[in-house]
Amino acid sequence: IRAGYPVEAEAILLCELDGVEADVRDDVERVRQVLDAAGATEVRLAKDEAERVKFWAGRKNAFPAVGRISPDYYCMDGTIPRRELP
């Protein structure tokens, strides 16, 4: 897929925000601050819809490859309801 993920990373977090554009802009900045404070080595925002789709396609297509390398691979997706964020 060549999603552009940093190959030296031990882990990658894909985070997608939704809502009213002005709110999302503020949320993106807050998420960036949290990730920077947590030690993120890189925070990247998709430049456009095509890049956003590519990021997610890379994630979806990684499962078969990782499964061949490590048969005991474990993946966990988390979803946080908006009402629980505060």
Side-chain angles (χ1 to χ4, degrees):
I1 295 297
R2 301 195 190 284
Y5 301 150
V7 296
E8 70 282 355
E10 292 183 23
I12 296 171
L13 172 67
L14 291 179
C15 178
E16 186 165 270
L17 305 173
D18 67 353
V20 177
E21 189 173 342
D23 293 341
V24 171
R25 269 195 303 270
D26 292 341
D27 292 345
V28 165
E29 186 52 38
R30 270 184 267 157
V31 169
R32 182 182 300 277
Q33 291 170 0
V34 168
L35 295 174
D36 286 341
T41 57
E42 179 180 355
V43 177
R44 189 183 314 165
L45 184 63
K47 293 177 280 211
D48 53 29
E49 179 65 12
E51 187 173 49
R52 185 191 75 77
V53 168
K54 187 180 250 189
F55 286 168
W56 286 105
R59 179 201 176 276
K60 182 179 180 180
N61 285 281
F63 290 115
V66 173
R68 286 189 296 274
I69 295 168
S70 178
D72 59 349
Y73 174 69
Y74 181 75
C75 176
M76 185 175 87
D77 283 339
T79 302
I80 303 168
R82 193 172 288 179
R83 69 182 176 280
E84 299 296 330
L85 290 175

